[in-house]
Each structure stands twice: as C-alpha cells, then as structure tokens.
Amino acid sequence: MDPPAGAQLSPGVSLAILNYQRRDALRQVLEAARAQRHPLVEVIVVDNASTDDTSATAARFATELPVRCIPEPQLGLCHARNAGWKNAIGDYVAYLDDDAVACPSWVTAVVEGTVVALRNAGFKDLTCVQNRTVVTNAFKGTDLNGYWPICRA
C-alpha cells in the first residue's frame, strides 16, 4: 500500500512484528500499531513458520493499516529479523515481538532516540540513513554497525 499523495512520512518507519504461533497476541500488537502517533509506512508481520492463522490475522487489519505478511520458513528470531528488514521500505525499521504491546508514542520515541544517539556519537548534519551507512557531508561512508537494528540496513 502506497502512502497518500503529499503525506509527510519523513522519516518513514516500517514496523516489523515478529510472530511465531501467537495469533491472539498478534492481534493486540496490531491494535497497538494502529494507535501509533508516528505515521507508519508499513507494518510487516513476519510469520516465522507458524502453523496457526497468523497471515489471516494480519490480513484482518489491512483496511486499517498498511500491513503485509512475510513468511519466514526458517525458525529463529535472527531469521525473522532479517526477513523484516530485507522486506522493509521505510527509512527506519522498528521491531516488535509478538508479545510486546507498544504505547502510542513508542515509534516516535524510537525514531527520536535513534537520531539523538547518532548525533551524540558524532554524526553531525545527519541527512540520510542508507544501506547501514550515514550519508552526510562530514561522515560519508561511515558504517553504523551497532545501530542497524533500528536503521534500515
């Protein structure tokens, strides 16, 4: 689902929800995603080899959220996280597990905290995060390393 024309989605956030066999908990996490104050470019539900009705549960929210379900057949949190960021289109990727219900200001706090942390680490004039690299005049080509879990890699 594309954002509405003229929408201000900067920075754009993809929310990746990692799910394994918890469709009922997933419903609560998606309800919390719907209540986020920061606009979401997309919500990616990573179905990590579930045999419950995960994809159908995610699909029920498609009229309210830009949600899509990505299958990850290889069981494991690291595989699910990788599937999330590899399929994300946002400038940032924020992760939630299927048992974590975020308060409405959570995405805003993640984005603001990331920008502050990068600037405090010496990344001045931050203009873009792309391919795990900060693209600025002063730090072009600097690898983000440990910041990758919430910056699109």
Side-chain angles (χ1 to χ4, degrees):
M1 173 184 285
D2 291 328
Q8 297 293 356
L9 297 177
S10 181
V13 176
S14 295
L15 175 59
I17 301 170
L18 314 175
N19 187 71
Y20 175 70
Q21 302 291 69
R22 291 188 178 158
R23 71 168 179 232
D24 294 331
L26 175 62
R27 202 174 0 258
Q28 293 177 329
V29 178
L30 287 167
E31 287 169 2
R34 181 178 54 205
Q36 289 301 305
R37 293 184 187 131
H38 189 93
L40 297 170
V41 173
E42 64 182 341
V43 176
I44 302 168
V45 174
V46 181
D47 182 359
N48 196 198
S50 297
T51 58
D52 63 4
D53 210 10
T54 293
S55 59
T57 300
R60 287 186 200 104
F61 284 82
T63 60
E64 305 166 63
L65 284 169
V67 66
R68 60 191 171 113
C69 194
I70 304 295
E72 174 48 60
Q74 191 164 359
L75 191 59
L77 190 57
C78 61
H79 301 294
R81 287 195 192 282
N82 285 336
W85 75 258
K86 285 179 182 176
N87 286 280
I89 61 170
D91 299 312
Y92 292 87
V93 177
Y95 292 98
L96 278 177
D97 291 345
D98 51 16
D99 61 352
V101 177
C103 68
S105 60
W106 182 78
V107 170
T108 300
V110 167
V111 171
E112 289 175 359
T114 300
V115 171
V116 167
L118 289 170
R119 288 195 173 136
N120 287 344
F123 297 100
K124 307 293 185 214
D125 303 319
L126 183 65
T127 56
C128 181
V129 176
Q130 180 180 7
N131 296 328
R132 292 180 60 184
T133 301
V134 176
V135 181
T136 68
N137 291 335
F139 296 100
K140 187 170 183 164
T142 305
D143 191 356
L144 284 176
N145 292 326
Y147 294 100
W148 79 266
I150 48 178
C151 297
R152 186 161 194 264

